[in-house]
Amino acid sequence: MGDPFYITTAISYPNGKPHIGHAYEAIAADVIARFQRQMGRDVRFQTGTDEHGLKMAQKARDLGTTPAALADEMSQYFIDMDAALNISYDVFQRTTEPRHHAASQELWRRMEANGDLYLDRYEGWYSVRDEAYYDESELVGGDSGEKLSPQGTPVEWTVEESWFFRLSAYQDRLLALLETDGFLRPESRRNEMIAFVKAGLRDLSISRTSFDWGVKVPGSDTHVMYVWIDALTNYLTGLGFPDEGADFARFWPCDLHLIGKDITRFHTIYWPAFLMSAGIAVPRQVFSHGFLLNRGQKESKSLGNVTDPIELADRFGVDTLRYFLMREVAFGQDGSYSPDAIVTRANAELANSFGNLAQRTLSMIFKNLDGDLKPFQTAEVDDALHVLVATACGSELPKAFQALDFSNGIEAWMRAVYACNQYVDEQAPWSLRKTDPERMRIVLQTLFIAVRDLAIAIRAVVPASADKLLDQLGVPSGERDFAALADADWYGRLVASEFRVAQPVGVFPRLELPAETD
């Protein structure tokens, strides 16, 4: 069993159906999890839903239902989205589960035992939509003169009895953590959080009495926990906490919390402080990715541009959508998508370049070699192609993916795909069929090996399509990781098994531009 690797997404707030931003984060996390599995790591991948808080209570009231019934209904949409997008999570953690209440209450008790909690009165600005408290200095003015949070959401003046967490006591330790190289990426977000901490931290209100939809504060009938304590604890719950043996001992601290940039403060200031207080190790890294924009605009119900990710996947293909999002957007920055951009990118790279390469190669082997593979001696030009493909697939792509630089990793992979297509054009196996059949065989088998390497390398991004292609190449399911790329004997074993290439089936069909686009 390889080294442990624990990755989480943020847990989605299910007061509405999933949108493209939820899909983007789930896909990115899945690509990372699958890649780490291919690297031989023992991966634990967790996602889930954050179901408590005032927003859910209000939404349920508006709909004439109970918060619990609403949570059940809405969480299912996120489970369905993950299934539709081929998200290979190990744990889907719902915060309404009894074991999660137990974990959150244990975290609370440990913070209390450390002397970091005290009872007082909260007076300040609260955003229901963000489930966040804001200082007066952080507020911005709306068009009508009303006060808004930094995110542009409404705030209301709130006064109630509350438990407080001594966040101010952790200022120096949090600053040291944020200045640790690699804890928070990308650099721009790290600089923002350092500036926030340096400006001075105030103690944090961590309980509410104005509603009861949440985890009860231990020993209290009136207080429920601030939703972010409850939400963040999910990362521990899924590993069995408060039992610190077994999965917890193996996978904590978390290797990577993958989150959207709008919740960076909660994950890199509040969460580490809670953990420090409770005597639990802090996560190794938090990566705060950007937003996905619809033709350059943030999606919103008022603009009428909210995209259903399942609809998008049904329309263009799950793997096509996954590939586009990982290829198109520099991870960590905001990115934009549109149906025509998806079609253009998918046709140029998946259908016309890689898909066509695989289809041509297997078709020619099937037709001209009767699907038969044999040992062969390569020439210098064949070796050069092999080295180029092996470098891209076995070194450049993994190095970039390890750094979460997906677009550059796929760029390296595409250079290898283009090199293979250039090799086909230059070697012209269709001409060699008449002039030098033995050379044709060498060219086609060289391409066969290259296609196998390319399919294994891109498998984390387009898992179903890559596996469909690897099945046609006769590659055993247990030989599809990066260690297999370095196995020099695989081709000899395949030949010895008397595997024959059958009539190939294309894995990346060409797409049509949507009718409504210009």
Side-chain angles (χ1 to χ4, degrees):
M1 191 180 284
D3 291 338
F5 182 87
Y6 181 34
I7 178 174
T8 69
T9 67
I11 49 173
S12 303
Y13 204 80
N15 65 329
K17 291 184 181 179
H19 55 66
I20 192 68
H22 295 118
Y24 178 54
E25 183 169 294
I27 288 168
D30 186 64
V31 169
I32 296 165
R34 289 176 184 274
F35 166 73
Q36 291 293 345
R37 290 186 197 112
Q38 280 189 287
M39 293 296 286
R41 304 286 296 270
D42 177 20
V43 172
R44 177 70 162 241
F45 173 18
Q46 180 170 312
T47 188
T49 40
D50 169 18
E51 300 170 23
H52 292 129
L54 185 53
K55 261 191 303 193
M56 285 292 281
Q58 289 180 346
K59 175 92 171 183
R61 187 186 63 216
D62 293 346
L63 294 172
T65 186
T66 65
L70 178 65
D72 286 344
E73 178 195 345
M74 299 307 287
S75 288
Q76 191 60 46
Y77 289 117
F78 288 84
I79 292 167
D80 293 345
M81 179 194 76
D82 286 343
L85 297 175
N86 200 6
I87 307 301
S88 61
Y89 62 79
D90 299 292
V91 177
F92 190 99
Q93 183 60 55
R94 295 183 57 187
T95 57
T96 45
E97 293 176 38
R99 69 173 184 156
H100 179 68
H101 285 241
S104 302
Q105 288 169 336
E106 176 61 20
L107 187 77
W108 181 285
R109 287 188 196 98
R110 293 189 189 193
M111 294 192 295
E112 189 172 27
N114 200 43
D116 285 329
L117 307 188
Y118 63 92
L119 199 57
D120 205 340
R121 200 167 82 128
Y122 175 75
E123 291 189 34
W125 296 103
Y126 188 74
S127 164
V128 175
R129 201 174 306 167
D130 298 346
E131 299 278 11
Y133 304 95
Y134 294 105
D135 188 72
E136 182 89 36
S137 62
E138 295 180 86
L139 302 182
V140 296
D143 295 337
S144 309
E146 75 277 25
K147 293 179 187 290
L148 300 173
S149 77
Q151 319 290 342
T153 57
V155 293
E156 55 191 45
W157 185 257
T158 305
V159 179
E160 63 182 309
E161 184 184 69
S162 175
W163 282 94
F164 282 77
F165 172 72
R166 297 185 198 277
L167 185 64
S168 56
Y170 289 87
Q171 182 155 334
D172 292 344
R173 288 176 67 183
L174 289 168
L175 199 54
L177 177 65
L178 287 162
E179 289 174 343
T180 303
D181 190 40
F183 171 70
L184 172 56
R185 294 177 53 210
E187 192 74 16
S188 57
R189 241 78 86 200
R190 178 186 173 197
N191 292 337
E192 283 171 25
M193 292 303 110
I194 287 173
F196 181 81
V197 173
K198 282 184 173 177
L201 295 176
R202 296 170 54 197
D203 289 352
L204 184 67
S205 170
I206 57 164
S207 74
R208 303 295 303 272
T209 57
S210 53
F211 62 96
D212 63 0
W213 178 242
V215 178
K216 289 275 189 284
V217 167
S220 172
D221 293 327
T222 54
H223 288 259
V224 294
M225 290 183 196
Y226 173 43
V227 71
W228 276 101
I229 290 191
D230 154 21
L232 292 159
T233 306
N234 95 90
Y235 303 130
L236 304 177
T237 305
L239 295 178
F241 183 82
D243 176 0
E244 295 184 56
D247 289 339
F248 187 91
R250 178 155 181 76
F251 291 104
W252 192 265
C254 184
D255 292 272
L256 180 63
H257 286 318
L258 191 62
I259 59 163
K261 65 181 181 180
D262 53 333
I263 54 174
T264 307
R265 184 192 304 181
F266 305 98
H267 283 81
T268 61
I269 295 174
Y270 300 168
W271 179 226
F274 298 157
L275 291 169
M276 289 170 182
S277 174
I280 299 169
V282 299
R284 293 192 171 97
Q285 184 174 98
V286 178
F287 191 97
S288 172
H289 63 78
F291 290 142
L292 201 57
L293 308 174
N294 186 338
R295 299 183 189 275
Q297 287 185 305
K298 195 171 177 188
E299 295 198 343
S300 74
K301 288 175 186 170
S302 58
L303 287 173
N305 66 347
V306 177
T307 304
D308 178 352
I310 298 180
E311 219 171 80
L312 213 55
D314 286 345
R315 190 174 179 186
F316 299 117
V318 174
D319 279 352
T320 299
L321 179 62
R322 290 170 62 105
Y323 180 86
F324 174 83
L325 293 176
M326 294 299 98
R327 172 75 162 122
E328 188 80 7
V329 182
F331 202 57
Q333 298 175 22
D334 289 350
S336 194
Y337 79 97
S338 65
D340 37 345
I342 294 172
V343 169
T344 302
R345 175 73 78 180
N347 282 347
E349 298 185 359
L350 290 181
N352 297 353
S353 297
F354 183 50
N356 191 39
L357 170 70
Q359 185 73 6
R360 284 204 290 179
T361 299
L362 295 181
S363 287
M364 286 189 281
I365 291 173
F366 173 70
K367 289 175 185 170
N368 301 322
L369 304 180
D370 293 327
D372 192 25
L373 301 171
K374 291 183 173 157
F376 64 105
Q377 281 297 118
T378 53
E380 196 174 319
V381 67
D382 313 321
D383 293 337
L385 182 73
H386 174 72
V387 169
L388 189 152
V389 171
T391 302
C393 295
S395 174
E396 293 172 342
L397 181 145
K399 187 177 177 185
F401 275 34
Q402 197 76 49
L404 309 184
D405 187 0
F406 306 113
S407 48
N408 275 329
I410 298 172
E411 175 68 34
W413 179 81
M414 275 308 307
R415 286 197 297 273
V417 172
Y418 292 144
C420 289
N421 281 311
Q422 188 179 346
Y423 171 88
V424 176
D425 294 341
E426 289 171 356
Q427 297 301 312
W430 48 87
S431 298
L432 291 169
R433 186 161 59 95
K434 296 171 185 168
T435 59
D436 191 345
E438 189 49 38
R439 177 63 194 154
M440 176 196 70
R441 171 180 285 280
I442 291 167
V443 167
L444 292 179
Q445 294 183 159
T446 297
L447 287 167
F448 179 90
I449 290 170
V451 168
R452 172 260 190 184
D453 289 359
L454 290 163
I456 288 174
I458 202 67
R459 187 169 169 245
V461 182
V462 288
S465 303
D467 280 342
K468 189 174 171 186
L469 179 54
L470 289 163
D471 288 345
Q472 296 181 67
L473 294 165
V475 177
S477 58
E479 296 180 19
R480 300 181 181 185
D481 57 13
F482 285 97
L485 288 179
D487 177 5
D489 299 327
W490 76 271
Y491 182 76
R493 291 197 302 275
L494 188 66
V495 170
S497 73
E498 298 184 351
F499 167 78
R500 295 180 86 87
V501 174
Q503 174 86 53
V505 178
V507 293
F508 294 112
R510 273 187 61 79
L511 302 173
E512 294 301 319
L513 275 168
E516 70 269 25
T517 59
D518 295 329

